[in-house]
Amino acid sequence: MNELIRSRVRRLKKLLDLGINPFEEVRFERNSTTAKIIRNFSKLKPGEETKSSRTIAGRIMSIRIHGGVSFVKLADHKGTIQLMFRKDFSPESFKFLGEYLDEGDIVGITGDVVRTKRGELSILVSKVKLLSKAFRPLPSEWYGLKNVETRYRQRYLDFVMNSQVREDVARISRMINGMREYMVAQEFIEVNTPVLQPIYGGAFAKPFKTHHNFLKQDMFLRVAPELYLKKLIVGGFDRVFEIGPCFRNESVDSRHNPEFIQLEAYQAFASYEDMMKLVESVVSAGVEAATGSTTTVYQGKKVDFKTPWKRITMEDSLKAAGIDLYGMSDKELLREAKKLDIEALRVGDAIEGIFSEKIEHTLIQPVFVTHFPSDISPLAKKFPGTPRMAQRFEAYAGGIEIANAYSELNNPIEQYERFREEVALRKKRVEEYMPMDKDYVRALEYGMPPTGGLGIGIARLASLVVDKSSIKEVIPFPTVAGTADVKNIAEEFKIKFK
């Protein structure tokens, strides 16, 4: 590795001696892309050459030298194409390639479009310009970048070597844009609420804590935007939504990342029933925008997001699997949870934990599971006559939870008492349960209309869209432990730029 880097440094120094500094380039005018060339010249016959000149730019992925002809694989943001450097056609370009260019370099080229006798569409290069020198060699194209740790820690290298990973990011972008466009079409207003909060809330989660030096107070990265969005409903907004980052200081696994993107939305004069229609519609819109269809394949199983989705109560979903928890006493429920190593301080924790363990992974087709235990739903309304159940649902697809929603609790007296219950539990498990938020209760005291709210995990939905079992694969830069011990080129080599 070091010898390869030394060779590249020597080449750069030769260029600098000639007065050529590739890092001084500020722009390069292109008139085409690899994809356009491949599309526009698809009918070119083997051995046929044109006088159609094209200028493109990209990264050199491989170099093959065969006497007086060299072949280069060039990659841009749209694909790859072969470049031909022929000594008899452009001696200057051929010499420049051999003496100064390496795999990984960023170049701009001009040349005529041709098809080789073997049928490979190519550009016969007449001019080449080095736009950025790569000091570090790329991994072998043949073996690729396989090491998972390297892929996540040096994600930029993963993007260079794996075009499918780049395409996944683009597809997820289309999904998010499709969801945003749907929400706007339904007259929801997109807003941005504080990420740095004096009191965190809106979810059961441990927060990241920091300190504001000027204000001289501790602050928290939000675990959810929920309470601020509902304050907007109190303030007279009818429909609001936000797509933004949330932070939870918890485990890192295939379904959890400490930093993640969530879509949350709130609608005045609406219930959790209305939220079901909104969830299935906005998710379907996002999936279709990303894939052109409401159907995807996830881990070998077809998942159809076409509306309407199936609905089932949590109790019925358990009974369908031969599990009857609702006839048990509280003590019996807690014992059942303990058998499965589920830590439960209350009945709702036990029921939800057993459901997650036994049922969740079986829910492949999109489904709404309703009637969650009210004791684990402190921000949701209870069902009249059945106070142990909340007007809440979670949406599942591909065996994972993708959304959570409920009829929002708007009674300030009851909300205060619910917060007090959470505070009591915090003494047993610090920070995971919700703290008292008196300002939010005060907002409710001014009156909030009946409201429906929802939250959709973008990374989990994205994993279904691009068929990845871990959300790390759909997050451009997932959280990794520690920092790598890196020695930069400037620490090892003395390079002077004029």
Side-chain angles (χ1 to χ4, degrees), residues 197 199-204 223 226-228 230-231 346 374-380 382 406 408-427 432-445 448:
Q197 302 177 348
I199 301 174
Y200 63 94
F204 297 117
V223 297
E226 177 171 344
L227 303 188
Y228 281 93
K230 287 193 284 193
K231 288 176 182 178
R346 48 194 175 183
S374 60
D375 63 350
I376 58 169
S377 310
L379 297 169
K382 299 176 182 178
Y406 33 84
E408 305 295 333
L409 180 60
N410 62 344
N411 180 339
I413 308 301
E414 185 177 352
Q415 185 63 79
Y416 179 82
E417 292 301 322
R418 298 272 200 101
F419 277 146
R420 284 187 62 183
E421 292 171 3
E422 293 296 304
V423 170
L425 288 167
R426 283 168 64 82
K427 295 177 181 178
E432 187 171 332
Y433 292 93
M434 296 182 195
M436 173 65 73
D437 190 337
K438 289 189 174 183
D439 182 62
Y440 175 66
V441 175
R442 179 172 60 182
L444 295 184
E445 289 170 351
M448 184 175 81

Short mmCIF file of all heavy atoms in Angstrom, two decimals, residues 197 199-204 223 226-228 230-231 346 374-380 382 406 408-427 432-445 448:
data_model
loop_
_atom_site.label_atom_id
_atom_site.label_comp_id
_atom_site.label_asym_id
_atom_site.label_seq_id
_atom_site.Cartn_x
_atom_site.Cartn_y
_atom_site.Cartn_z
N GLN A 197 -33.57 20.84 22.74
CA GLN A 197 -34.74 21.09 23.58
C GLN A 197 -34.36 21.11 25.06
O GLN A 197 -33.53 20.32 25.50
CB GLN A 197 -35.79 19.99 23.34
CG GLN A 197 -36.25 19.88 21.89
CD GLN A 197 -37.24 18.73 21.68
OE1 GLN A 197 -37.42 17.88 22.54
NE2 GLN A 197 -37.86 18.73 20.51
N ILE A 199 -36.47 20.27 27.45
CA ILE A 199 -37.10 19.06 27.98
C ILE A 199 -37.41 18.17 26.78
O ILE A 199 -38.01 18.61 25.81
CB ILE A 199 -38.42 19.37 28.73
CG1 ILE A 199 -38.15 20.33 29.89
CG2 ILE A 199 -39.07 18.09 29.24
CD1 ILE A 199 -39.42 20.79 30.60
N TYR A 200 -37.00 16.92 26.86
CA TYR A 200 -37.29 16.01 25.76
C TYR A 200 -38.60 15.27 26.03
O TYR A 200 -39.04 15.15 27.18
CB TYR A 200 -36.15 15.01 25.57
CG TYR A 200 -35.93 14.08 26.75
CD1 TYR A 200 -36.54 12.83 26.80
CD2 TYR A 200 -35.12 14.47 27.82
CE1 TYR A 200 -36.35 11.99 27.89
CE2 TYR A 200 -34.91 13.63 28.90
CZ TYR A 200 -35.54 12.40 28.94
OH TYR A 200 -35.35 11.57 30.01
N GLY A 201 -39.23 14.78 24.98
CA GLY A 201 -40.48 14.04 25.16
C GLY A 201 -41.03 13.57 23.84
O GLY A 201 -40.47 13.82 22.77
N GLY A 202 -42.14 12.85 23.91
CA GLY A 202 -42.78 12.34 22.70
C GLY A 202 -42.48 10.89 22.40
O GLY A 202 -43.01 10.33 21.45
N ALA A 203 -41.61 10.27 23.22
CA ALA A 203 -41.27 8.86 23.00
C ALA A 203 -40.55 8.32 24.23
O ALA A 203 -39.99 9.08 25.02
CB ALA A 203 -40.38 8.70 21.77
N PHE A 204 -40.61 6.99 24.38
CA PHE A 204 -39.84 6.33 25.44
C PHE A 204 -38.42 6.13 24.93
O PHE A 204 -38.18 5.26 24.09
CB PHE A 204 -40.47 4.99 25.81
CG PHE A 204 -41.85 5.09 26.36
CD1 PHE A 204 -42.93 4.53 25.70
CD2 PHE A 204 -42.08 5.76 27.56
CE1 PHE A 204 -44.21 4.62 26.22
CE2 PHE A 204 -43.36 5.86 28.08
CZ PHE A 204 -44.44 5.29 27.42
N VAL A 223 -35.82 13.46 21.08
CA VAL A 223 -36.12 12.06 20.78
C VAL A 223 -37.30 11.97 19.82
O VAL A 223 -37.51 10.95 19.17
CB VAL A 223 -36.40 11.26 22.07
CG1 VAL A 223 -35.18 11.24 22.96
CG2 VAL A 223 -37.61 11.80 22.81
N GLU A 226 -42.74 15.54 18.51
CA GLU A 226 -44.18 15.47 18.75
C GLU A 226 -44.76 16.65 19.52
O GLU A 226 -45.74 17.26 19.09
CB GLU A 226 -44.52 14.17 19.49
CG GLU A 226 -45.99 14.04 19.85
CD GLU A 226 -46.35 12.68 20.37
OE1 GLU A 226 -45.56 11.72 20.20
OE2 GLU A 226 -47.42 12.55 20.96
N LEU A 227 -44.22 16.97 20.68
CA LEU A 227 -44.85 17.95 21.54
C LEU A 227 -44.84 19.35 20.92
O LEU A 227 -45.81 20.10 21.06
CB LEU A 227 -44.19 17.96 22.92
CG LEU A 227 -44.19 16.62 23.66
CD1 LEU A 227 -43.67 16.79 25.09
CD2 LEU A 227 -45.59 15.99 23.68
N TYR A 228 -43.78 19.68 20.21
CA TYR A 228 -43.74 20.99 19.53
C TYR A 228 -44.74 21.05 18.38
O TYR A 228 -45.37 22.09 18.14
CB TYR A 228 -42.33 21.27 19.03
CG TYR A 228 -41.39 21.75 20.11
CD1 TYR A 228 -40.60 20.83 20.81
CD2 TYR A 228 -41.30 23.09 20.45
CE1 TYR A 228 -39.74 21.26 21.81
CE2 TYR A 228 -40.45 23.52 21.45
CZ TYR A 228 -39.66 22.60 22.13
OH TYR A 228 -38.82 23.03 23.13
N LYS A 230 -47.56 19.49 18.24
CA LYS A 230 -48.90 19.64 18.81
C LYS A 230 -49.12 21.04 19.38
O LYS A 230 -50.25 21.54 19.42
CB LYS A 230 -49.14 18.56 19.85
CG LYS A 230 -49.36 17.18 19.22
CD LYS A 230 -49.89 16.14 20.17
CE LYS A 230 -48.86 15.63 21.11
NZ LYS A 230 -49.30 14.41 21.84
N LYS A 231 -48.05 21.71 19.79
CA LYS A 231 -48.19 23.10 20.20
C LYS A 231 -48.61 23.97 19.01
O LYS A 231 -49.33 24.98 19.17
CB LYS A 231 -46.88 23.62 20.78
CG LYS A 231 -46.55 23.05 22.16
CD LYS A 231 -45.18 23.54 22.65
CE LYS A 231 -44.82 22.94 24.00
NZ LYS A 231 -43.47 23.37 24.46
N ARG A 346 -44.75 -2.66 33.88
CA ARG A 346 -46.20 -2.53 33.88
C ARG A 346 -46.79 -3.52 32.89
O ARG A 346 -46.09 -4.08 32.04
CB ARG A 346 -46.60 -1.09 33.56
CG ARG A 346 -45.91 -0.50 32.37
CD ARG A 346 -46.07 1.00 32.28
NE ARG A 346 -45.29 1.53 31.17
CZ ARG A 346 -45.19 2.82 30.89
NH1 ARG A 346 -45.84 3.70 31.63
NH2 ARG A 346 -44.47 3.23 29.88
N SER A 374 -53.11 1.13 27.25
CA SER A 374 -53.06 2.57 27.52
C SER A 374 -51.95 2.96 28.48
O SER A 374 -51.47 4.09 28.46
CB SER A 374 -54.42 3.04 28.07
OG SER A 374 -54.73 2.36 29.27
N ASP A 375 -51.49 2.03 29.32
CA ASP A 375 -50.46 2.41 30.29
C ASP A 375 -49.09 2.62 29.65
O ASP A 375 -48.17 3.15 30.29
CB ASP A 375 -50.37 1.38 31.43
CG ASP A 375 -49.96 0.00 30.97
OD1 ASP A 375 -49.93 -0.23 29.74
OD2 ASP A 375 -49.69 -0.86 31.83
N ILE A 376 -48.92 2.20 28.38
CA ILE A 376 -47.68 2.49 27.66
C ILE A 376 -47.93 3.51 26.55
O ILE A 376 -47.12 3.67 25.64
CB ILE A 376 -47.05 1.21 27.07
CG1 ILE A 376 -48.02 0.51 26.12
CG2 ILE A 376 -46.58 0.29 28.17
CD1 ILE A 376 -47.39 -0.61 25.31
N SER A 377 -49.07 4.21 26.65
CA SER A 377 -49.44 5.21 25.65
C SER A 377 -49.85 6.51 26.35
O SER A 377 -51.01 6.93 26.27
CB SER A 377 -50.60 4.68 24.78
OG SER A 377 -50.33 3.38 24.30
N PRO A 378 -48.92 7.16 27.04
CA PRO A 378 -49.28 8.30 27.90
C PRO A 378 -49.72 9.56 27.15
O PRO A 378 -50.21 10.49 27.78
CB PRO A 378 -48.00 8.55 28.69
CG PRO A 378 -46.92 8.03 27.82
CD PRO A 378 -47.49 6.83 27.15
N LEU A 379 -49.54 9.61 25.85
CA LEU A 379 -49.94 10.78 25.08
C LEU A 379 -51.18 10.51 24.23
O LEU A 379 -51.61 11.38 23.47
CB LEU A 379 -48.79 11.24 24.17
CG LEU A 379 -47.52 11.70 24.90
CD1 LEU A 379 -46.36 11.86 23.93
CD2 LEU A 379 -47.76 13.01 25.65
N ALA A 380 -51.78 9.31 24.39
CA ALA A 380 -52.92 8.92 23.58
C ALA A 380 -54.21 8.86 24.40
O ALA A 380 -54.18 8.60 25.61
CB ALA A 380 -52.67 7.55 22.94
N LYS A 382 -57.68 7.25 25.71
CA LYS A 382 -58.17 5.90 26.00
C LYS A 382 -59.51 5.70 25.32
O LYS A 382 -60.20 6.65 24.98
CB LYS A 382 -58.32 5.71 27.51
CG LYS A 382 -57.02 5.86 28.31
CD LYS A 382 -57.29 5.76 29.80
CE LYS A 382 -56.00 5.94 30.60
NZ LYS A 382 -56.25 5.90 32.07
N TYR A 406 -51.85 7.75 16.99
CA TYR A 406 -52.97 7.67 17.92
C TYR A 406 -53.84 8.93 17.87
O TYR A 406 -53.48 9.94 17.26
CB TYR A 406 -52.51 7.43 19.36
CG TYR A 406 -51.21 8.04 19.79
CD1 TYR A 406 -51.12 9.35 20.24
CD2 TYR A 406 -50.05 7.26 19.79
CE1 TYR A 406 -49.91 9.88 20.68
CE2 TYR A 406 -48.84 7.78 20.22
CZ TYR A 406 -48.76 9.10 20.66
OH TYR A 406 -47.57 9.62 21.08
N GLU A 408 -54.70 11.91 19.78
CA GLU A 408 -53.89 12.61 20.77
C GLU A 408 -54.70 12.99 22.01
O GLU A 408 -55.84 13.48 21.90
CB GLU A 408 -53.28 13.88 20.16
CG GLU A 408 -52.47 13.64 18.89
CD GLU A 408 -51.22 12.82 19.14
OE1 GLU A 408 -50.70 12.83 20.27
OE2 GLU A 408 -50.78 12.14 18.19
N LEU A 409 -54.11 12.78 23.16
CA LEU A 409 -54.74 13.19 24.41
C LEU A 409 -54.71 14.72 24.49
O LEU A 409 -53.64 15.33 24.40
CB LEU A 409 -53.98 12.58 25.59
CG LEU A 409 -54.50 12.92 26.99
CD1 LEU A 409 -55.93 12.47 27.18
CD2 LEU A 409 -53.59 12.29 28.05
N ASN A 410 -55.88 15.32 24.63
CA ASN A 410 -55.93 16.80 24.69
C ASN A 410 -56.52 17.32 26.00
O ASN A 410 -56.78 18.52 26.14
CB ASN A 410 -56.70 17.36 23.50
CG ASN A 410 -58.16 16.90 23.47
OD1 ASN A 410 -58.53 15.96 24.16
ND2 ASN A 410 -58.98 17.59 22.68
N ASN A 411 -56.72 16.41 26.95
CA ASN A 411 -57.21 16.81 28.27
C ASN A 411 -56.01 17.16 29.15
O ASN A 411 -55.24 16.27 29.53
CB ASN A 411 -58.01 15.65 28.88
CG ASN A 411 -58.56 15.98 30.26
OD1 ASN A 411 -58.05 16.88 30.94
ND2 ASN A 411 -59.58 15.26 30.69
N PRO A 412 -55.80 18.44 29.50
CA PRO A 412 -54.60 18.83 30.25
C PRO A 412 -54.54 18.22 31.65
O PRO A 412 -53.45 17.97 32.17
CB PRO A 412 -54.69 20.35 30.32
CG PRO A 412 -56.14 20.66 30.13
CD PRO A 412 -56.66 19.61 29.20
N ILE A 413 -55.69 17.99 32.28
CA ILE A 413 -55.70 17.40 33.62
C ILE A 413 -55.21 15.96 33.56
O ILE A 413 -54.33 15.53 34.32
CB ILE A 413 -57.12 17.44 34.24
CG1 ILE A 413 -57.69 18.87 34.18
CG2 ILE A 413 -57.09 16.91 35.66
CD1 ILE A 413 -56.83 19.90 34.90
N GLU A 414 -55.77 15.20 32.61
CA GLU A 414 -55.34 13.81 32.45
C GLU A 414 -53.90 13.72 31.99
O GLU A 414 -53.15 12.84 32.45
CB GLU A 414 -56.26 13.08 31.46
CG GLU A 414 -55.95 11.59 31.35
CD GLU A 414 -56.89 10.84 30.41
OE1 GLU A 414 -57.89 11.44 29.94
OE2 GLU A 414 -56.60 9.65 30.13
N GLN A 415 -53.49 14.64 31.09
CA GLN A 415 -52.11 14.60 30.61
C GLN A 415 -51.12 14.85 31.74
O GLN A 415 -50.07 14.21 31.82
CB GLN A 415 -51.90 15.65 29.51
CG GLN A 415 -50.52 15.60 28.86
CD GLN A 415 -50.27 14.29 28.14
OE1 GLN A 415 -50.73 14.08 27.04
NE2 GLN A 415 -49.54 13.37 28.77
N TYR A 416 -51.46 15.76 32.64
CA TYR A 416 -50.60 16.03 33.80
C TYR A 416 -50.44 14.77 34.66
O TYR A 416 -49.33 14.43 35.09
CB TYR A 416 -51.19 17.18 34.63
CG TYR A 416 -50.38 17.51 35.86
CD1 TYR A 416 -49.25 18.32 35.77
CD2 TYR A 416 -50.73 16.99 37.11
CE1 TYR A 416 -48.50 18.61 36.90
CE2 TYR A 416 -49.99 17.27 38.24
CZ TYR A 416 -48.87 18.09 38.14
OH TYR A 416 -48.13 18.36 39.25
N GLU A 417 -51.56 14.08 34.88
CA GLU A 417 -51.51 12.86 35.70
C GLU A 417 -50.70 11.77 35.01
O GLU A 417 -49.97 11.02 35.66
CB GLU A 417 -52.93 12.37 36.02
CG GLU A 417 -53.71 13.30 36.95
CD GLU A 417 -52.99 13.48 38.29
OE1 GLU A 417 -52.39 12.51 38.80
OE2 GLU A 417 -53.02 14.61 38.81
N ARG A 418 -50.85 11.68 33.70
CA ARG A 418 -50.07 10.68 32.95
C ARG A 418 -48.58 10.97 33.07
O ARG A 418 -47.76 10.06 33.21
CB ARG A 418 -50.47 10.68 31.47
CG ARG A 418 -51.92 10.31 31.20
CD ARG A 418 -52.13 8.81 31.05
NE ARG A 418 -53.37 8.57 30.34
CZ ARG A 418 -53.48 8.27 29.05
NH1 ARG A 418 -52.40 8.14 28.31
NH2 ARG A 418 -54.67 8.10 28.49
N PHE A 419 -48.21 12.24 32.96
CA PHE A 419 -46.81 12.62 33.14
C PHE A 419 -46.32 12.26 34.54
O PHE A 419 -45.19 11.81 34.72
CB PHE A 419 -46.61 14.11 32.88
CG PHE A 419 -46.45 14.48 31.42
CD1 PHE A 419 -46.94 15.69 30.92
CD2 PHE A 419 -45.79 13.64 30.54
CE1 PHE A 419 -46.79 16.04 29.59
CE2 PHE A 419 -45.63 13.98 29.19
CZ PHE A 419 -46.13 15.18 28.72
N ARG A 420 -47.15 12.47 35.52
CA ARG A 420 -46.77 12.13 36.89
C ARG A 420 -46.49 10.64 37.03
O ARG A 420 -45.55 10.23 37.72
CB ARG A 420 -47.87 12.55 37.87
CG ARG A 420 -47.92 14.05 38.15
CD ARG A 420 -48.90 14.38 39.25
NE ARG A 420 -48.52 13.76 40.52
CZ ARG A 420 -49.22 13.84 41.64
NH1 ARG A 420 -50.38 14.49 41.64
NH2 ARG A 420 -48.81 13.27 42.76
N GLU A 421 -47.29 9.82 36.36
CA GLU A 421 -47.06 8.38 36.38
C GLU A 421 -45.70 8.04 35.72
O GLU A 421 -44.98 7.16 36.21
CB GLU A 421 -48.19 7.66 35.64
CG GLU A 421 -49.53 7.75 36.35
CD GLU A 421 -50.67 7.22 35.48
OE1 GLU A 421 -50.39 6.73 34.37
OE2 GLU A 421 -51.84 7.32 35.91
N GLU A 422 -45.39 8.75 34.66
CA GLU A 422 -44.11 8.53 33.99
C GLU A 422 -42.94 8.93 34.90
O GLU A 422 -41.92 8.23 34.97
CB GLU A 422 -44.05 9.34 32.68
CG GLU A 422 -45.01 8.88 31.61
CD GLU A 422 -44.70 7.48 31.13
OE1 GLU A 422 -43.57 7.21 30.70
OE2 GLU A 422 -45.61 6.62 31.22
N VAL A 423 -43.11 10.05 35.58
CA VAL A 423 -42.06 10.52 36.48
C VAL A 423 -41.79 9.50 37.59
O VAL A 423 -40.64 9.25 37.97
CB VAL A 423 -42.44 11.90 37.08
CG1 VAL A 423 -41.48 12.28 38.21
CG2 VAL A 423 -42.43 12.97 36.00
N ALA A 424 -42.86 8.88 38.10
CA ALA A 424 -42.70 7.85 39.13
C ALA A 424 -41.90 6.66 38.60
O ALA A 424 -41.06 6.08 39.30
CB ALA A 424 -44.07 7.40 39.62
N LEU A 425 -42.13 6.30 37.33
CA LEU A 425 -41.41 5.18 36.74
C LEU A 425 -39.95 5.54 36.45
O LEU A 425 -39.08 4.66 36.44
CB LEU A 425 -42.10 4.74 35.45
CG LEU A 425 -43.44 4.00 35.63
CD1 LEU A 425 -44.18 3.90 34.31
CD2 LEU A 425 -43.20 2.61 36.21
N ARG A 426 -39.69 6.81 36.22
CA ARG A 426 -38.32 7.24 35.95
C ARG A 426 -37.39 6.94 37.13
O ARG A 426 -36.18 6.78 36.97
CB ARG A 426 -38.29 8.74 35.63
CG ARG A 426 -38.76 9.08 34.23
CD ARG A 426 -38.99 10.57 34.08
NE ARG A 426 -37.77 11.33 34.23
CZ ARG A 426 -36.86 11.53 33.28
NH1 ARG A 426 -37.05 11.01 32.08
NH2 ARG A 426 -35.78 12.25 33.50
N LYS A 427 -37.96 6.87 38.32
CA LYS A 427 -37.16 6.57 39.51
C LYS A 427 -36.65 5.14 39.48
O LYS A 427 -35.66 4.80 40.12
CB LYS A 427 -37.98 6.81 40.76
CG LYS A 427 -38.38 8.28 40.96
CD LYS A 427 -39.26 8.46 42.18
CE LYS A 427 -39.68 9.91 42.35
NZ LYS A 427 -40.59 10.10 43.52
N GLU A 432 -35.57 6.84 30.61
CA GLU A 432 -36.28 6.18 29.52
C GLU A 432 -37.75 6.59 29.47
O GLU A 432 -38.33 6.71 28.39
CB GLU A 432 -36.16 4.67 29.65
CG GLU A 432 -36.73 3.92 28.45
CD GLU A 432 -36.41 2.43 28.46
OE1 GLU A 432 -35.37 2.05 29.03
OE2 GLU A 432 -37.19 1.67 27.91
N TYR A 433 -38.33 6.82 30.62
CA TYR A 433 -39.73 7.26 30.65
C TYR A 433 -39.80 8.77 30.51
O TYR A 433 -38.81 9.48 30.74
CB TYR A 433 -40.41 6.77 31.93
CG TYR A 433 -40.57 5.27 31.94
CD1 TYR A 433 -39.60 4.45 32.54
CD2 TYR A 433 -41.64 4.66 31.32
CE1 TYR A 433 -39.72 3.08 32.53
CE2 TYR A 433 -41.77 3.28 31.29
CZ TYR A 433 -40.81 2.49 31.90
OH TYR A 433 -40.92 1.13 31.87
N MET A 434 -40.95 9.26 30.13
CA MET A 434 -41.08 10.67 29.80
C MET A 434 -41.02 11.56 31.04
O MET A 434 -41.62 11.25 32.06
CB MET A 434 -42.40 10.92 29.06
CG MET A 434 -42.50 10.23 27.72
SD MET A 434 -44.06 10.61 26.89
CE MET A 434 -44.08 9.34 25.62
N PRO A 435 -40.33 12.70 30.94
CA PRO A 435 -40.30 13.64 32.05
C PRO A 435 -41.56 14.51 32.06
O PRO A 435 -42.30 14.55 31.09
CB PRO A 435 -39.07 14.49 31.74
CG PRO A 435 -39.00 14.49 30.25
CD PRO A 435 -39.47 13.11 29.83
N MET A 436 -41.78 15.19 33.14
CA MET A 436 -42.88 16.15 33.22
C MET A 436 -42.56 17.34 32.32
O MET A 436 -41.47 17.89 32.36
CB MET A 436 -43.05 16.63 34.67
CG MET A 436 -44.06 17.76 34.85
SD MET A 436 -45.77 17.28 34.45
CE MET A 436 -46.16 16.22 35.86
N ASP A 437 -43.53 17.70 31.48
CA ASP A 437 -43.37 18.87 30.61
C ASP A 437 -44.53 19.82 30.90
O ASP A 437 -45.59 19.75 30.28
CB ASP A 437 -43.35 18.46 29.15
CG ASP A 437 -42.96 19.62 28.22
OD1 ASP A 437 -43.14 20.78 28.63
OD2 ASP A 437 -42.49 19.36 27.11
N LYS A 438 -44.32 20.70 31.86
CA LYS A 438 -45.39 21.60 32.29
C LYS A 438 -45.77 22.63 31.22
O LYS A 438 -46.92 23.05 31.16
CB LYS A 438 -44.99 22.29 33.59
CG LYS A 438 -44.97 21.36 34.80
CD LYS A 438 -44.79 22.14 36.09
CE LYS A 438 -44.91 21.20 37.29
NZ LYS A 438 -44.80 21.94 38.58
N ASP A 439 -44.81 23.00 30.39
CA ASP A 439 -45.16 23.96 29.33
C ASP A 439 -46.09 23.32 28.32
O ASP A 439 -47.03 23.98 27.82
CB ASP A 439 -43.90 24.46 28.62
CG ASP A 439 -44.22 25.49 27.56
OD1 ASP A 439 -44.76 26.56 27.92
OD2 ASP A 439 -43.97 25.22 26.37
N TYR A 440 -45.87 22.05 28.02
CA TYR A 440 -46.78 21.36 27.09
C TYR A 440 -48.17 21.25 27.71
O TYR A 440 -49.18 21.49 27.04
CB TYR A 440 -46.25 19.96 26.75
CG TYR A 440 -47.21 19.16 25.91
CD1 TYR A 440 -47.53 19.53 24.62
CD2 TYR A 440 -47.85 18.03 26.45
CE1 TYR A 440 -48.44 18.80 23.86
CE2 TYR A 440 -48.74 17.29 25.69
CZ TYR A 440 -49.04 17.69 24.40
OH TYR A 440 -49.94 16.98 23.66
N VAL A 441 -48.23 20.91 29.00
CA VAL A 441 -49.53 20.85 29.68
C VAL A 441 -50.19 22.23 29.66
O VAL A 441 -51.40 22.35 29.43
CB VAL A 441 -49.37 20.33 31.12
CG1 VAL A 441 -50.72 20.40 31.86
CG2 VAL A 441 -48.84 18.90 31.11
N ARG A 442 -49.41 23.27 29.89
CA ARG A 442 -49.97 24.62 29.84
C ARG A 442 -50.54 24.93 28.47
O ARG A 442 -51.60 25.56 28.34
CB ARG A 442 -48.89 25.65 30.20
CG ARG A 442 -49.38 27.10 30.14
CD ARG A 442 -48.35 28.07 30.68
NE ARG A 442 -47.09 28.02 29.93
CZ ARG A 442 -46.03 28.76 30.24
NH1 ARG A 442 -46.08 29.59 31.30
NH2 ARG A 442 -44.93 28.67 29.53
N ALA A 443 -49.86 24.48 27.42
CA ALA A 443 -50.38 24.68 26.06
C ALA A 443 -51.74 24.02 25.91
O ALA A 443 -52.68 24.60 25.35
CB ALA A 443 -49.40 24.13 25.03
N LEU A 444 -51.88 22.78 26.45
CA LEU A 444 -53.16 22.08 26.39
C LEU A 444 -54.23 22.83 27.18
O LEU A 444 -55.43 22.77 26.85
CB LEU A 444 -53.02 20.66 26.92
CG LEU A 444 -52.13 19.69 26.13
CD1 LEU A 444 -52.19 18.30 26.76
CD2 LEU A 444 -52.54 19.62 24.66
N GLU A 445 -53.81 23.54 28.22
CA GLU A 445 -54.77 24.28 29.04
C GLU A 445 -55.42 25.43 28.27
O GLU A 445 -56.48 25.92 28.65
CB GLU A 445 -54.07 24.80 30.30
CG GLU A 445 -53.72 23.67 31.29
CD GLU A 445 -52.81 24.12 32.42
OE1 GLU A 445 -52.31 25.26 32.36
OE2 GLU A 445 -52.61 23.32 33.36
N MET A 448 -56.65 22.36 22.94
CA MET A 448 -56.23 21.76 21.68
C MET A 448 -57.40 20.96 21.13
O MET A 448 -58.01 20.17 21.84
CB MET A 448 -55.02 20.83 21.89
CG MET A 448 -54.49 20.25 20.56
SD MET A 448 -52.97 19.25 20.74
CE MET A 448 -53.65 17.69 21.29
#
